[in-house]
Amino acid sequence: MAQETRFDLVIIGSGPGGYVAAVRAAQLGMKTAVVEKSSRLGGVCLNVGCIPSKALLDASEYYHLAKERFAEYGIKTGKVGLDLATMLARKDKVVEDLTENVRKLMEGNHIEVIHGLATLTAPGTVDVDTGKKKKLTLSAGNILLATGSEPLEVKGLTFDGEYIVSSTEALSFDSVPGRLGIVGGGYIGLELGSVWNRLGSMVTVIEMLPKIAANLDGQVGRTLDRILKRQGMQFKLDTRVVEATVSGKAVKAVLATGDKTETMTFDRLLVSVGRRPLTRGLGLEALAVETDERTGQIVVDQEYRTSVKGIYAIGDLVPGPMLAHKASAEGTAAVECMAGRAGEVNYDTIPAVVYTWPEVASVGLTEEQVREREIPYCVGSFPFSGAGRARCMGETDGFVKLISHGKTDRILGVHIIGPRAADMIAECVLALEFGASSEDISRTIHGHPTFSEALQEAAMHVRQCSIYAS
């Protein structure tokens, strides 16, 4: 007979959604268990996603600065060399430290951590294959699914883990590819393309749409395109990869643009066209948990309840942007709903960040969305070239763009491309949460000299429009 253990809540998955939900549940007095299939906690984000990619982005940026820009600051370094093995080892150490922090967080909150493959066998029952002869059976008042997502495979571009790869393998190349092809011009492709471009790869991004980072505000997207091209990245837009084959130690890719085709050869081909919910093996079909036939996402209500009583789902498994901070917010909200509290997520104020350099960050509506909805609006912008702090650092690319309602002046969206945009966006998220106006931002004193002054100046520019709005 399998061992049975009773919990108030069993969470499947220990990523940013799962572990945050577990801590909140423990704080609310729930006896909680987390089941994780991998040997380390933290999910995709900590192990093969957000954290290692940012570690490499920062490291590659330092390398680029030392090699290309230190001299203009009066810093003499001599010939700068790359020790890729050390760079990758540092990335791995960052990941190790943070996953260990999550383990200690679970331990400190008295959360049971079980490593193994979890399967739903009945409402309130989870079987866990821990690799031992007997499966472990857990029973719980509620079950929260937080298993995240996995890279999408494309027909004709099957991953082989060495030459045709997903983002996971692209974090650990043993050498800098001379020619790196990237299928997909979204956030992940642009970030990893930036890493290897700085380290010496000739990067070509192949995007089937007419623009990269299609979800960005159009003006911001066009600016990012120009800057990345100036940095050496190449883009083939309105183009799809028909097929790719490995020949020797290279990948030959057949590209189609309209009715024309061409063949390009790469040392590595990164396929980064999106992600899909990771639900395989969970047992959703046996319990008739409703999913969207088109996307594979689990259907949930406003309290993250699935179609089966006592089973909840969050993060990449459910509709909405596949972002770690969105999963964390949903994890907290779902657990609070279980506890009878008013847990909720404001999906209108979820920030998005692209960690290229310069960074891109946004929250709220784009100018295109405002026009589509026929909302009267005003736009204010300010270039970082006019900000003293940006001038001091030599980081003058980009601008802040603020969109407000033409009649009420309420802020509708903020879009930033420039230095430290990822950190600046927090003020904008707070402004949207509180229903602030551009005047509120413009009258708020910002430190000088700082990057955030550009936001204040953009807000002042909006006011020039709002005075005359009808």
Side-chain angles (χ1 to χ4, degrees), residues 368-442:
E368 290 76 14
Q369 290 171 329
V370 172
R371 286 177 181 169
E372 185 179 320
R373 301 182 190 188
E374 298 183 343
I375 300 172
Y377 72 97
C378 294
V379 173
S381 63
F382 191 79
F384 280 105
S385 59
R389 180 64 171 155
R391 284 281 180 182
C392 292
M393 286 188 65
E395 298 291 352
T396 56
D397 281 332
F399 56 88
V400 176
K401 178 177 182 177
L402 192 151
I403 306 169
S404 74
H405 195 287
K407 294 183 178 179
T408 68
D409 193 36
R410 181 169 178 165
I411 298 171
L412 301 175
V414 184
H415 308 275
I416 307 172
I417 177 168
R420 307 287 179 249
D423 299 305
M424 284 180 62
I425 202 65
E427 178 183 351
C428 310
V429 174
L430 186 64
L432 263 70
E433 279 285 354
F434 279 84
S437 65
S438 72
E439 184 177 8
D440 291 327
I441 295 289
S442 70

Side-chain angles (χ1 to χ4, degrees), residues 35-280:
V35 183
E36 172 54 56
K37 67 177 182 178
S38 301
S39 58
R40 291 198 303 198
L41 301 175
V44 168
C45 176
L46 264 68
N47 288 282
V48 292
C50 323
I51 298 304
S53 64
K54 304 312 169 284
L56 284 183
L57 280 159
D58 287 339
S60 62
E61 179 66 12
Y62 292 146
Y63 172 74
H64 168 75
L65 289 172
K67 186 178 179 182
E68 304 293 340
R69 297 194 57 192
F70 274 9
E72 69 184 78
Y73 292 91
I75 303 171
K76 296 182 179 181
T77 59
K79 186 177 180 180
V80 175
L82 173 65
D83 184 345
L84 182 60
T86 298
M87 186 179 287
L88 294 176
R90 179 189 175 277
K91 176 259 299 181
D92 292 340
K93 183 65 167 59
V94 170
V95 170
E96 181 183 338
D97 289 348
L98 286 174
T99 54
E100 177 62 12
N101 285 350
V102 174
R103 187 194 66 77
K104 291 178 180 178
L105 189 63
M106 299 295 100
E107 187 178 90
N109 283 278
H110 309 291
I111 296 163
E112 186 79 18
V113 175
I114 301 163
H115 291 278
L117 288 170
T119 304
L120 302 172
T121 54
T125 305
V126 179
D127 275 0
V128 183
D129 183 355
T130 61
K132 299 177 181 179
K133 289 184 179 180
K134 293 181 180 179
K135 288 186 177 180
L136 181 64
T137 297
L138 310 177
S139 60
N142 290 307
I143 298 168
L144 178 62
L145 307 179
T147 51
S149 61
E150 61 183 350
L152 273 172
E153 273 196 296
V154 179
K155 184 178 180 181
L157 305 177
T158 304
F159 297 130
D160 64 15
E162 185 174 4
Y163 295 101
I164 302 176
V165 302
S166 71
S167 57
T168 298
E169 292 79 26
L171 292 166
S172 302
F173 289 145
D174 57 5
S175 61
V176 178
R179 299 157 299 178
L180 174 62
I182 299 177
V183 184
Y187 297 7
I188 296 173
L190 296 179
E191 290 179 4
L192 289 174
S194 293
V195 168
W196 295 107
N197 176 59
R198 293 167 190 161
L199 299 181
S201 288
M202 182 181 293
V203 175
T204 302
V205 176
I206 305 148
E207 170 58 56
M208 64 184 298
L209 296 175
K211 59 183 178 179
I212 61 170
N215 292 331
L216 294 180
D217 178 89
Q219 184 182 3
V220 171
R222 291 189 295 274
T223 302
L224 179 63
D225 181 288
R226 288 195 298 271
I227 292 172
L228 293 180
K229 284 178 179 174
R230 194 174 70 213
Q231 292 174 2
M233 293 176 66
Q234 300 176 26
F235 297 103
K236 287 189 169 292
L237 306 178
D238 287 314
T239 302
R240 61 189 179 89
V241 181
V242 179
E243 63 175 345
T245 55
V246 178
S247 177
K249 293 186 176 182
V251 182
K252 293 187 180 297
V254 178
L255 280 55
T257 306
D259 56 359
K260 297 180 180 179
T261 61
E262 64 174 312
T263 300
M264 293 190 71
T265 302
F266 303 104
D267 296 293
R268 297 285 189 276
L269 185 68
L270 164 60
V271 181
S272 179
V273 295
R275 301 181 67 85
R276 64 184 175 191
L278 184 52
T279 58
R280 284 179 289 103

